[in-house]
Structures are given as C-alpha cells and as structure tokens.
Amino acid sequence: MLQRLRVYGPIVWAAIVSAALLGWFGGHAYDDPFITYRYAQNLAAGLGFVYNSGERVLSTTTPLYALILAAARLFGADIPTFSNALGALSLALGGLALWRLGLAWRAPLAGLAAMLVYPLFPLLVTTLGSELPLYLALVLGATLAYAHERYLAAAALLALAALIRADGVLAAGVLGAAFLLQRRRPLPWRALALYLALLLPWLAFAQLYFGAPFPATLEAKRRQALLPGSELFLPGLLAQLRDNYWRYAEFRPMFTLAALGLVAALRRRGPWLIPIGWSALYTAAYAALGVTSYFWYYGPVIVGLAALSTTGIQGAVMQSKQLAGVQILLLWDDLPRLRR
C-alpha cells in the first residue's frame, strides 16, 4: 500500500494541481504573452512568422512556444485558454520533477516539500499564460534526466528549453559544468551533437528569415530600464521578495530555511547545487544585461529559492535526528548511574 502511494500519489497530486490551477486561473491574462499569441495567430492563419503581416521582425522571445500555440490554433484551440492549460500542466509536472529529483538524490523530504510548494507558489501561478511554466518544466525535466544519467534525454530537453527561451543555454552550461566536475569522462558526444542538431536549424532560419537570431525587444527592454520610474532587474527582485513575501509572516520561514539550505548544500556539495547554481547564474546574467524588472523574469529565481528552502527542511530534519540520537546515547550512558 505504501509503495503504491509513493508511486501513484504524486501523479494524482499533479493531476489535482493541474485541474485546480486551470479552474481557478483559466481566464488569467497579462499583456506580455499576447505578443507571442499574435505571432501564433498569424502563423496559423498563413501570414507567416510575423507580428504584422509583411514585417519580418522577431519580437517574441519564445519562438518554439509560438509554434506550439500556432499548432494548437490549427486544431481549433483558443490560444490564451490553451496557453493557460499548458501552463497549469507544466507547473504540476515541474513539481513532479522536483519530487523525482528528491528520490534520485536521496532527499525524499526535500522532494516532497518542493512538489507540494512549487506549483502553487504565487509568483509562478501569476505567470500562467506565458511560456515560463513550460520552460521551467523542461529545465527541471532535463535535470532529472541528468540525475539518472540519461544524457540524450537531457540534451533534447535542454535544447527545447533554449528554443522556448534563449537563456535556457545557461541551464545547459550548468549541467555541462556539473558533468565535468562530477563525472569528467567519457564525454557524452552524442548528447552534445543532439543538442546542437536541435538548436542550429532555428539559428539558421532566424538569421535568414529575420536577419538576426535574437529578438529586437531585448535592446528595447535594456533601454526601458534607463527611463525614469523604471527599475533594474536586481533591485526589482529584491523589491519582489521584500514586498510580496518577507512582509508576510507566513513566508518568512521560507527565507530561514533557504539560508539553512544554502549552508547544507555548500557543506555537502550535494546535487541540489545544480538547480541552485542555475538560478544564481540566471540572476547574475539578467543583472548584467541591465534589463528592466518584470515579475515573470523571476521564475527561475523561484526554482532556486524552492531548492534552497526544501534542502533546508531536509537538513533541519536530519540535524534533529542526529541530536535525538545523541540524546538517546547520553541517556543510555546515564542509565547505570540512574539505577544506583
């Protein structure tokens, strides 16, 4: 019975979370994804991969997501509704991947806590409708494949993540560095070839079709950060954490657990440093780019925060067990004296 609960319980939980998120937030929307929605609509209508008919300008930062939405539209789906449904499913699958990572890395309590908290985290829920939930699910899935040494699957998922969002290459860099530090050889050349084979066709197409593989909106968002009243990425992150989480007492233990988790991860040099490292690298990269602050930029930061917090929970429980064991040993040593 316990084994069945362990196998099927998380799947049932993921299904419940997906249905609940879609039921509660099925009509949720904000402005940024509608750029991609328009690309998808025009592509499905045969007008080309464009925002305005006849103007080949790459303004969406998520080309593969636009293609997915266009395919859904060809089958009659309403694009915003389908995007919300896909996002709800992706958040649940991301939580499921964290649970499986906990099992793979012998930290089941950390995995369980992450599975329960991650898909319902407020900032992530507010990104429904965008590509972010699917992007995060792909990166977490790639990390899980890496943990099981399924390098071809990891490479495929990492390439798809990079096609969803270009900063997905950072996740590939972190997993590549982890491989070199932990396993060193033999290098998975087939996985590397697969990764490049999936990415290079898009880069070639974008160069020919748009004149550049990078979205034109990147420079616009960097310049927007210089406008009066705009906020840079890093100050915006600190404001998000302070105003939306730290100020509420129920979220404050999360920060304490995150601090404990960082200490535990660094001390043991455990595998949870992989998602933590990706989150840190992502934060550093966006801060260096100098882009303006948007709440949906902070999704990968939440993955790192979740990994830190749940690692802190695991570490606190292990420390409690050790202390309890010491107390039992001390009591056992005192028994002869007490009997006298």
Side-chain angles (χ1 to χ4, degrees):
M1 180 64 181
L2 186 60
Q3 181 63 24
R4 287 185 177 180
L5 181 63
R6 185 178 178 181
V7 173
Y8 296 110
I11 297 173
V12 173
W13 167 251
I16 292 172
V17 166
S18 298
L21 287 175
L22 187 58
W24 292 334
F25 301 100
H28 173 75
Y30 62 100
D31 56 350
D32 190 72
F34 281 84
I35 298 172
T36 303
Y37 295 172
R38 180 155 170 167
Y39 272 89
Q41 179 67 41
N42 285 340
L43 186 58
L47 300 177
F49 203 159
V50 294
Y51 186 83
N52 292 319
S53 180
E55 298 180 7
R56 293 187 177 184
V57 178
L58 182 60
S59 296
T60 178
T61 56
T62 177
L64 179 56
Y65 199 68
L67 291 175
I68 293 171
L69 296 181
R73 181 60 187 153
L74 286 174
F75 284 95
D78 175 72
I79 289 176
T81 302
F82 176 83
S83 187
N84 282 349
L86 182 56
L89 177 62
S90 296
L91 286 180
L93 290 176
L96 201 57
L98 286 166
W99 157 248
R100 299 285 300 189
L101 280 171
L103 295 180
W105 290 340
R106 298 180 181 178
L109 186 58
L112 176 62
M115 180 185 70
L116 296 175
V117 172
Y118 169 83
L120 301 176
F121 199 88
L123 187 143
L124 296 180
V125 172
T126 58
T127 67
L128 285 176
S130 75
E131 79 284 356
L132 186 71
L134 177 59
Y135 169 72
L136 296 179
L138 288 170
V139 172
L140 290 170
T143 307
L144 179 60
Y146 170 83
H148 288 287
E149 299 186 6
R150 297 173 181 170
Y151 300 129
L152 284 174
L157 292 171
L158 287 170
L160 293 176
L163 291 171
I164 292 287
R165 282 175 50 144
D167 54 66
V169 298
L170 299 176
V174 168
L175 284 176
F179 179 89
L180 293 176
L181 290 171
Q182 295 171 349
R183 298 180 173 87
R184 299 186 182 179
R185 61 179 186 272
L187 292 176
W189 293 110
R190 291 175 60 202
L192 180 59
L194 176 62
Y195 182 78
L196 294 175
L198 291 173
L199 278 185
L200 291 178
W202 161 252
L203 295 176
F205 169 80
Q207 184 65 44
L208 292 172
Y209 193 84
F210 299 108
F214 305 107
T217 51
L218 175 59
E219 185 59 29
K221 289 175 180 177
R222 293 183 64 188
R223 291 183 179 275
Q224 184 180 357
L226 303 176
L227 296 174
S230 290
E231 195 169 33
L232 288 169
F233 175 85
L234 198 54
L237 171 60
L238 296 176
Q240 280 276 341
L241 295 176
R242 181 189 67 240
D243 298 338
N244 294 337
Y245 301 101
W246 178 256
R247 66 183 297 183
Y248 300 105
E250 58 267 30
F251 284 105
R252 289 184 183 176
M254 175 182 67
F255 293 94
T256 302
L257 290 169
L260 292 174
L262 180 60
V263 172
L266 291 174
R267 181 180 297 172
R268 298 187 179 92
R269 297 182 182 179
W272 286 103
L273 283 175
I274 292 174
I276 294 168
W278 169 57
S279 180
L281 180 61
Y282 172 92
T283 302
Y286 266 64
L289 278 174
V291 295
T292 192
S293 169
Y294 290 108
F295 72 87
W296 57 88
Y297 283 175
Y298 301 124
V301 180
I302 300 304
V303 172
L305 186 60
L308 284 170
S309 301
T310 53
T311 304
I313 293 173
Q314 184 82 26
V317 170
M318 290 178 63
Q319 189 67 31
S320 298
K321 287 182 178 179
Q322 291 175 1
L323 290 174
V326 170
Q327 292 296 325
I328 291 172
L329 288 174
L330 289 174
L331 182 60
W332 179 265
D333 291 339
D334 286 343
L335 278 177
R337 182 176 57 81
L338 293 172
R339 285 171 183 165
R340 297 195 202 105

Coordinates of all heavy atoms in Angstrom, one line a residue, residues 9 32 35-36 62 66 68 93 104 128 131 171-172 184 191 203 212 219-220 224 255 260 286 295 315 318 321 325 334:
G9 N 0.7 8.4 -5.8 CA 0.3 9.6 -5.1 C 0.8 10.9 -5.7 O -0.1 11.8 -6.0
D32 N 2.1 40.7 -21.7 CA 3.3 40.3 -22.4 C 3.1 39.1 -23.3 O 3.5 39.1 -24.5 CB 4.4 40.0 -21.5 CG 5.8 39.8 -22.2 OD1 6.3 40.8 -22.7 OD2 6.2 38.7 -22.3
I35 N 1.9 39.2 -27.2 CA 2.9 39.4 -28.4 C 3.1 38.0 -29.1 O 2.9 37.9 -30.3 CB 4.2 39.9 -27.9 CG1 4.0 41.3 -27.3 CG2 5.2 40.0 -29.1 CD1 5.3 41.9 -26.7
T36 N 3.4 37.0 -28.2 CA 3.5 35.7 -28.8 C 2.2 35.1 -29.3 O 2.2 34.4 -30.4 CB 4.1 34.7 -27.7 OG1 5.3 35.3 -27.2 CG2 4.4 33.3 -28.2
T62 N 10.1 33.9 -27.4 CA 9.9 32.4 -27.2 C 9.4 31.8 -28.5 O 8.2 31.5 -28.7 CB 8.9 32.2 -26.1 OG1 8.6 30.8 -25.9 CG2 7.6 33.0 -26.2
A66 N 5.6 29.9 -29.6 CA 4.7 30.5 -30.6 C 4.3 29.3 -31.6 O 3.2 29.3 -32.0 CB 5.4 31.6 -31.4
I68 N 4.2 26.1 -30.9 CA 3.2 25.2 -30.2 C 1.8 25.8 -30.2 O 0.9 25.1 -30.4 CB 3.8 25.0 -28.8 CG1 5.1 24.2 -28.8 CG2 2.7 24.2 -27.9 CD1 5.7 24.1 -27.4
L93 N 3.9 19.4 -13.6 CA 5.0 18.5 -14.0 C 6.3 18.9 -13.4 O 7.1 18.1 -13.1 CB 5.0 18.4 -15.5 CG 3.9 17.7 -16.2 CD1 4.0 17.8 -17.7 CD2 3.8 16.3 -15.8
A104 N 15.9 10.7 -6.5 CA 17.2 10.4 -7.1 C 18.4 10.8 -6.3 O 19.4 10.2 -6.3 CB 17.2 11.0 -8.5
L128 N 1.0 32.2 -15.5 CA 0.2 31.3 -16.4 C -0.2 32.1 -17.6 O -0.6 33.3 -17.5 CB -1.0 30.8 -15.6 CG -0.8 29.7 -14.6 CD1 -2.1 29.4 -13.9 CD2 -0.3 28.5 -15.3
E131 N 5.1 31.5 -21.5 CA 6.0 30.3 -21.8 C 6.7 29.8 -20.5 O 7.3 28.7 -20.5 CB 7.0 30.6 -22.9 CG 8.2 31.4 -22.5 CD 7.9 32.9 -22.3 OE1 6.8 33.3 -22.5 OE2 8.9 33.6 -21.9
A171 N 21.1 26.9 -18.4 CA 20.9 25.6 -17.8 C 21.8 24.5 -18.4 O 22.3 23.7 -17.7 CB 19.4 25.2 -17.9
A172 N 22.0 24.6 -19.7 CA 22.9 23.6 -20.3 C 24.3 23.8 -19.8 O 25.0 22.8 -19.6 CB 22.8 23.8 -21.9
R184 N 33.4 13.8 -15.4 CA 34.6 14.1 -16.2 C 34.7 13.4 -17.5 O 34.8 14.0 -18.5 CB 35.9 13.9 -15.4 CG 35.9 14.8 -14.1 CD 37.3 14.7 -13.4 NE 37.3 15.5 -12.2 CZ 38.3 15.6 -11.4 NH1 39.4 14.9 -11.6 NH2 38.2 16.4 -10.3
A191 N 25.0 13.2 -27.0 CA 24.1 14.1 -26.4 C 24.4 15.6 -26.9 O 23.5 16.4 -27.2 CB 24.2 14.0 -24.9
L203 N 18.6 28.7 -35.4 CA 19.5 29.8 -35.6 C 19.7 30.2 -37.1 O 19.7 31.4 -37.4 CB 20.9 29.5 -34.9 CG 20.8 29.3 -33.4 CD1 22.2 28.9 -32.9 CD2 20.3 30.6 -32.7
A212 N 18.4 38.2 -38.0 CA 19.2 38.0 -36.7 C 18.4 37.0 -35.9 O 17.2 36.9 -35.9 CB 19.3 39.3 -36.0
E219 N 17.0 44.8 -26.8 CA 17.6 46.1 -26.6 C 16.5 47.1 -26.1 O 16.9 48.0 -25.3 CB 18.1 46.6 -28.0 CG 18.9 47.9 -27.9 CD 20.1 47.9 -26.9 OE1 20.7 46.8 -26.7 OE2 20.4 49.0 -26.4
A220 N 15.3 46.9 -26.5 CA 14.2 47.8 -26.0 C 14.1 47.7 -24.5 O 13.9 48.7 -23.8 CB 12.9 47.5 -26.8
Q224 N 14.6 50.5 -21.8 CA 13.5 50.9 -20.9 C 13.9 51.0 -19.4 O 13.4 51.8 -18.7 CB 12.4 49.8 -21.0 CG 11.1 50.1 -20.2 CD 10.1 49.0 -20.4 OE1 10.3 48.1 -21.1 NE2 9.0 49.2 -19.7
F255 N 12.6 32.0 4.1 CA 13.9 32.6 4.0 C 14.9 32.0 5.0 O 16.1 31.8 4.6 CB 13.8 34.1 4.2 CG 13.1 34.8 3.1 CD1 11.7 35.1 3.3 CD2 13.7 35.2 2.0 CE1 11.0 35.8 2.3 CE2 13.0 35.9 1.0 CZ 11.6 36.2 1.1
L260 N 19.5 28.0 5.7 CA 19.9 26.7 6.2 C 20.3 25.8 5.0 O 21.2 25.1 5.0 CB 18.9 26.1 7.0 CG 18.6 26.8 8.4 CD1 17.4 26.1 9.1 CD2 19.8 26.7 9.3
Y286 N 21.0 38.1 -15.9 CA 20.0 39.2 -16.1 C 20.4 40.5 -15.5 O 20.1 41.6 -16.0 CB 18.6 38.7 -15.6 CG 17.8 38.0 -16.7 CD1 18.2 36.8 -17.3 CD2 16.6 38.6 -17.2 CE1 17.5 36.2 -18.3 CE2 15.9 38.0 -18.2 CZ 16.3 36.8 -18.8 OH 15.6 36.2 -19.8
F295 N 7.8 40.9 -13.4 CA 7.7 39.8 -12.5 C 7.9 38.5 -13.1 O 8.4 37.6 -12.4 CB 6.3 39.9 -11.8 CG 5.2 39.5 -12.7 CD1 4.8 38.2 -12.8 CD2 4.4 40.5 -13.4 CE1 3.7 37.8 -13.6 CE2 3.4 40.1 -14.2 CZ 3.0 38.8 -14.3
G315 N 17.7 19.3 5.7 CA 18.8 19.4 6.6 C 18.4 19.6 8.0 O 19.0 19.0 9.0
M318 N 17.3 16.1 9.3 CA 18.5 15.3 9.6 C 19.2 15.7 10.8 O 19.7 14.9 11.6 CB 19.4 15.3 8.4 CG 18.9 14.6 7.1 SD 20.0 14.8 5.7 CE 21.4 13.9 6.3
K321 N 17.3 14.5 13.9 CA 17.5 13.1 14.1 C 18.9 12.9 14.7 O 19.0 12.0 15.6 CB 17.4 12.3 12.8 CG 16.0 12.2 12.2 CD 16.0 11.4 10.9 CE 14.6 11.3 10.4 NZ 14.6 10.5 9.1
G325 N 19.5 11.3 18.3 CA 20.3 10.1 18.5 C 21.3 10.3 19.6 O 21.6 9.5 20.4
D334 N 23.8 7.1 30.9 CA 23.5 7.5 32.2 C 22.6 6.5 33.0 O 22.4 6.6 34.2 CB 22.7 8.9 32.2 CG 23.6 10.0 31.9 OD1 24.8 9.8 32.1 OD2 23.1 11.1 31.6

